[in-house]
Amino acid sequence: MRTNKLVLKYIELSNLKGNLLDKIKDLSTAELNHKFSESEWCITQVIDHLVESETGINKYINFRLKNINEQPSVGLTNYIKSKVLNKKLKSEEKFKVPSGLSQPEAGADFEQLKEKWDDSRMFLIKTVETFPKDKMNKAVFMHPIAGLLSMNHTMSFFINHLKHHIPQVDSLLLRLENQK
C-alpha cells in the first residue's frame, strides 16, 4: 500500500468509524433504533446516513474517474470553499440532508450496520489505493454547498462529516442511558 495523504486520511476515517462502532456495539437493536421523537433520527439512521453518503459519493467518484482527464481542475476558490465547509461541519450548526439523499433507514441491528459500513469502506479503500497521484488536482465530487472537490478535499469532507455526527450519537447514547 502506498503511503500518501489519501491513505493517511483513510486511516483517520477508519479510526473514527472504529471508535464510533465501539460506542454502540453493546446496544440492543431496540436501543439502536429508538427514536425520541418523529423529527429526530435514531442511532441506526445516523449510521445509515454516514454509510449512504460515503457510498454514494464514492460511486460518483468512480464514475468521474472513468474520464478523469476531462474533469476540471480545482483551484484556490475550491480550496477555500472546502475549508469553509469543513469549518461549518466542525461547528454545531445543523444541516438539512441534501435533496439527492433519501431519508436514512432504521431497523438494523449492530451486525447489519457494521457489515454495511465495512462493505462501503472496502469499496472506498480500493478507490483511495488506486487513485492516480497525478490527478489529485482534478474535481471528483460536486458538493451541494462547497462545489467541486478534489479527492483530497472529499476525504477531508468524509472525516469532518463523520466527526460532525459523533456528538449526535453521543447525545442519543446519553439520553438512552438516562432512560434506564
Side-chain angles (χ1 to χ4, degrees):
M1 184 188 326
R2 64 182 178 179
T3 303
N4 62 33
K5 284 183 182 181
L6 296 181
V7 172
L8 294 175
K9 287 185 178 194
Y10 180 84
I11 292 168
E12 181 179 357
L13 194 59
S14 292
N15 290 338
L16 289 167
K17 173 192 156 204
N19 292 340
L20 183 55
L21 290 176
D22 280 346
K23 291 179 181 185
I24 66 168
K25 69 183 178 191
D26 296 325
L27 296 178
S28 68
T29 302
E31 289 170 322
L32 286 169
N33 290 283
H34 181 76
K35 290 183 75 159
F36 288 94
S37 74
E38 277 306 307
S39 62
E40 293 179 274
W41 287 352
C42 62
I43 292 171
T44 299
Q45 288 176 297
V46 176
I47 304 297
D48 188 69
H49 166 72
L50 291 166
V51 174
E52 290 299 320
S53 297
E54 289 178 14
T55 303
I57 293 168
N58 194 24
K59 285 179 182 175
Y60 185 73
I61 290 167
N62 278 275
F63 171 76
R64 301 271 308 240
L65 277 170
K66 291 177 184 170
N67 61 352
I68 191 71
N69 291 327
E70 286 78 49
Q71 302 307 321
S73 295
V74 294
L76 182 59
T77 302
N78 305 101
Y79 172 79
I80 292 168
K81 286 181 176 182
S82 173
K83 287 290 186 190
V84 169
L85 171 65
N86 286 314
K87 187 171 181 139
K88 283 184 171 201
L89 285 170
K90 291 175 184 176
S91 74
E92 293 182 15
E93 185 176 343
K94 291 188 176 190
F95 302 91
K96 291 195 182 263
V97 175
S99 58
L101 291 177
S102 59
Q103 281 298 313
E105 293 182 16
D109 65 25
F110 177 78
E111 288 305 319
Q112 291 168 322
L113 286 174
K114 184 178 180 311
E115 182 179 348
K116 187 175 180 181
W117 211 351
D118 288 348
D119 290 347
S120 176
R121 288 295 177 83
M122 290 304 297
F123 180 38
L124 181 58
I125 191 59
K126 288 177 184 167
T127 303
V128 165
E129 288 180 330
T130 60
F131 195 88
K133 269 191 162 181
D134 62 332
K135 305 299 181 198
M136 293 294 287
N137 67 329
K138 293 292 190 173
V140 295
F141 174 56
M142 173 65 91
H143 189 275
I145 295 172
L148 295 173
L149 300 179
S150 68
M151 188 63 187
N152 192 41
H153 296 152
T154 303
M155 291 299 289
S156 293
F157 166 72
F158 284 156
I159 290 166
N160 289 304
H161 183 230
L162 179 51
K163 285 180 178 179
H164 179 77
H165 285 286
I166 289 172
Q168 183 180 11
V169 172
D170 288 343
S171 173
L172 291 167
L173 287 168
L174 183 62
R175 290 166 72 189
L176 283 169
E177 185 62 33
N178 288 337
Q179 272 193 332
K180 292 181 180 179

